[in-house]
Amino acid sequence: MSWLIRNRGRKFASILALTGATLASATGAVAGQLTGVWKTPGGYVEVFNCGAAVCGRISPTLGDSADKQRLDTKNKNPALRNRKIGGLQIMSGFEADRGQWTGGKIYNPSDGNTYSASLTLQPGGSLSVKGCVVAPLCRTQTWTRVTP
């Protein structure tokens, strides 16, 4: 009996460590479902892991060469209007939440605004991207995977 009492803490710590490792690998696998290049109505976005979250940037290599050289002229901050659109990070802070990625922000260089957003993988493999000024003032786009 004394052995059981002495080792109970070790067993609990082992179970806790195993559970944490399982959750960490599951979170990585879920985020991995989004990583890759997506075709949007306006170009291509590379989605990648950034810490525990998912982020995205406008592809600096895919799309029209004029788009790659285009500047962020509509940005609300005048100091940022000379940066190139190609390679610009436009998505940040998306975390997995019951089949969706929520809590993120998405920047739209076409109007210079940043929106609260959520991402949902659709059964056919497309990605539903919903950006909101404030709910229910939202707009949804469908993105198509180019590369996993």
Side-chain angles (χ1 to χ4, degrees):
M1 182 73 162
S2 64
W3 177 84
L4 179 62
I5 292 171
R6 280 193 318 259
N7 290 310
R8 187 179 343 167
R10 285 187 211 154
K11 284 185 178 184
F12 180 72
S14 296
I15 290 170
L16 189 59
L18 181 60
T19 303
T22 302
L23 287 175
S25 66
T27 301
V30 169
Q33 295 173 345
L34 283 185
T35 59
V37 178
W38 296 85
K39 172 76 172 106
T40 75
Y44 296 88
V45 172
E46 297 174 0
V47 176
F48 56 94
N49 294 324
C50 53
V54 174
C55 298
R57 69 177 149 254
I58 296 175
S59 175
T61 57
L62 296 174
D64 188 326
S65 61
D67 283 342
K68 293 178 208 169
Q69 300 304 314
R70 198 169 51 128
L71 301 179
D72 190 16
T73 58
K74 306 259 173 129
N75 197 298
K76 302 297 182 209
N77 181 346
L80 299 176
R81 292 180 183 159
N82 288 327
R83 63 184 181 171
K84 290 183 181 178
I85 297 291
L88 181 65
Q89 183 172 327
I90 61 166
M91 297 169 51
S92 62
F94 290 91
E95 295 187 5
D97 180 24
R98 293 171 288 188
Q100 286 191 317
W101 286 262
T102 60
K105 300 283 185 188
I106 191 162
Y107 172 70
N108 181 0
S110 296
D111 65 13
N113 291 316
T114 301
Y115 301 94
S116 298
S118 63
L119 311 171
T120 307
L121 272 178
Q122 299 302 313
S126 63
L127 183 64
S128 177
V129 180
K130 181 178 181 181
C132 301
V133 175
V134 64
L137 301 176
C138 304
R139 192 172 106 184
T140 302
Q141 289 185 345
T142 300
W143 295 3
T144 307
R145 185 183 296 279
V146 176
T147 63

